[in-house]
Each structure stands twice: as structure tokens, then as C-alpha cells.
Amino acid sequence: MNRETLLAKLRAEVTGCQACNLRKSATQVVFGEGSPEARLVFVGEGPGAEEDRTGRPFVGAAGQLLDKMIGAMGMTRFADTYILNVVKCRPPGNRAPVPEEAQICQQHLERQFAILDPVIVVLLGATALRTLIDPTGRITQARGHWVHRDDRWFMPTFHPAALLRNPQYKIKAWGDLKLVIDKYRELVEPDHDSLYYPRL
Ligand code: URA
């Protein structure tokens, strides 16, 4: 079975998940979206109000910034990336998921990873960092440093919502994304170009 079919089957399963209380207050499950063949995956925290309403990841203000970040990398969401969240159901009132919720939902994330088999994973913010790499990690310290695990390259960086609150972090986040472009050129597509970070 190809990746698209496997993801469609998994989406149907995850849509029926009732494993934690988040499903009770959420309108719908937000599975994720992008290219099934993407070698680069972004992992956020969890759906917000707009995502809960539309069923799509990163479509609110933070999502618009994420699309700009992806564009600056010379990519588009649907052609070159896949966008996931640690939890698939909106935590009430936009609170962060508690570790238990993240842990319960991790089975879905792991199965998404198993199908997509990404080479590079960008961890957007502390929830993604703590769930996937280091339960006590701090994004301000971990960002900008590669973690190589399970044959994948993980780059923690600021969550776009944090960049909206603290625009002074944007320069650091762009530095992190340039490292991601370097790695992408090294491991995925040597000729990959970006207007804002041209190949030498
Ligand atoms: N923030 C996230 O972490 N994920 C989304 O899908 C939207 C906002």
C-alpha cells in the first residue's frame, strides 16, 4: 500500500479515537495534512479554535505565519511538507495539552511517523520538544541544535505563536530554519533553492 492509502486508513482510525477526554470537548479530530511523500515534517502542539472548526492544522494566525516560514524556505505546505500536532483534539480554552494527553496521543503520532518516514522533523515549541525528545527540555536552550534519533533529524525551534507574541525571536527562528534547509540540501534535494537563502 502506498503512503496516501496508509494515511487515509490511519486518518479513519484516529478520527474514531476516544482514548482521552480531549475528544469530548473538541468539535473534530485534526489529523494533519500535507504531501504523503514529504521528507520534511513539522510538529506543533495541538489544534486551536480555527483548527477545531475547520479540521485542518495550523490555519489560524500561527498557521499563516507557518505558511510564510515554509514559503521563505522555498517550499509549500502541500508540495513539500506534512504538518502534524502532538495532540489531535483541541485542548479546551487553548491550554497546552498535559503530558498524559500528549502521551496517549503519541501512538497516533508514531504511526504517522512510521508511514511518512520523514528525514527531517521540525519541532515547533516546547510541547513537541518535550513529547518527542526531552520531557524537561526548554525550547530556548534546545532550539538550533540537531538531535539525531531513530534515523531522523529533529530540529527544535520556536512555535509560530511564540513568534507572534515575541517578534524579536524571529531572527533566531530563521537561523534554525536555515539549518533545516542546509540539512534538506544535504540529505534530500541537493538543488533545493530558496529566494531568501539561495544556494552558493
Ligand atoms: N498551534 C498548533 O500547535 N497547532 C495547530 O494546528 C495550530 C496552532
Side-chain angles (χ1 to χ4, degrees), residues 165-181:
R165 287 193 301 271
N166 305 283
Q168 73 276 16
Y169 293 167
K170 283 187 181 175
I171 189 84
K172 288 184 176 167
W174 177 236
D176 302 343
L177 295 182
K178 287 200 280 190
L179 295 175
V180 172
I181 300 170

Side-chain angles (χ1 to χ4, degrees), residues 56-114:
R56 297 180 50 211
F58 279 99
V59 290
Q64 284 166 28
L65 178 56
L66 180 61
D67 279 334
K68 284 191 195 161
M69 291 157 65
I70 291 171
M73 297 171 78
M75 300 182 185
T76 66
R77 167 187 293 234
F78 285 104
D80 308 293
T81 76
Y82 207 97
I83 300 184
L84 300 171
N85 278 306
V86 167
V87 294
K88 314 304 187 204
C89 294
R90 182 193 184 200
N94 281 358
R95 67 164 170 77
V98 297
E100 194 198 346
E101 291 160 347
Q103 200 196 331
I104 291 171
C105 213
Q106 207 174 346
Q107 51 173 322
H108 303 318
L109 192 57
E110 294 300 339
R111 290 176 74 192
Q112 290 175 314
F113 272 20

Side-chain angles (χ1 to χ4, degrees), residues 30-189:
V30 179
F31 179 78
E33 70 182 22
S35 164
E37 304 305 322
R39 310 289 67 221
L40 171 64
V41 163
F42 288 84
V43 181
E45 178 175 290
E50 275 297 291
E51 291 76 20
D52 182 64
R53 195 176 63 75
T54 57
R56 297 180 50 211
F58 279 99
V59 290
Q64 284 166 28
L65 178 56
L66 180 61
D67 279 334
K68 284 191 195 161
M69 291 157 65
I70 291 171
M73 297 171 78
M75 300 182 185
T76 66
R77 167 187 293 234
F78 285 104
D80 308 293
T81 76
Y82 207 97
I83 300 184
L84 300 171
N85 278 306
V86 167
V87 294
K88 314 304 187 204
C89 294
R90 182 193 184 200
N94 281 358
R95 67 164 170 77
V98 297
E100 194 198 346
E101 291 160 347
Q103 200 196 331
I104 291 171
C105 213
Q106 207 174 346
Q107 51 173 322
H108 303 318
L109 192 57
E110 294 300 339
R111 290 176 74 192
Q112 290 175 314
F113 272 20
I115 296 170
L116 290 164
D117 196 21
V119 176
I120 302 171
V121 180
V122 178
L123 303 170
L124 299 169
T127 299
L129 169 69
R130 291 181 184 156
T131 304
L132 287 166
I133 301 295
D134 175 2
T136 60
R138 286 167 172 261
I139 200 70
T140 45
Q141 286 165 12
R143 58 147 286 274
H145 302 285
W146 287 110
V147 177
H148 190 215
R149 190 176 284 187
D150 302 330
D151 213 19
R152 308 192 203 290
W153 291 91
F154 293 85
M155 172 56 71
T157 191
F158 293 114
H159 192 288
L163 298 177
L164 290 172
R165 287 193 301 271
N166 305 283
Q168 73 276 16
Y169 293 167
K170 283 187 181 175
I171 189 84
K172 288 184 176 167
W174 177 236
D176 302 343
L177 295 182
K178 287 200 280 190
L179 295 175
V180 172
I181 300 170
D182 287 339
K183 188 66 84 187
Y184 195 84
R185 286 176 178 149
E186 181 190 329
L187 298 178
V188 179
E189 188 192 339

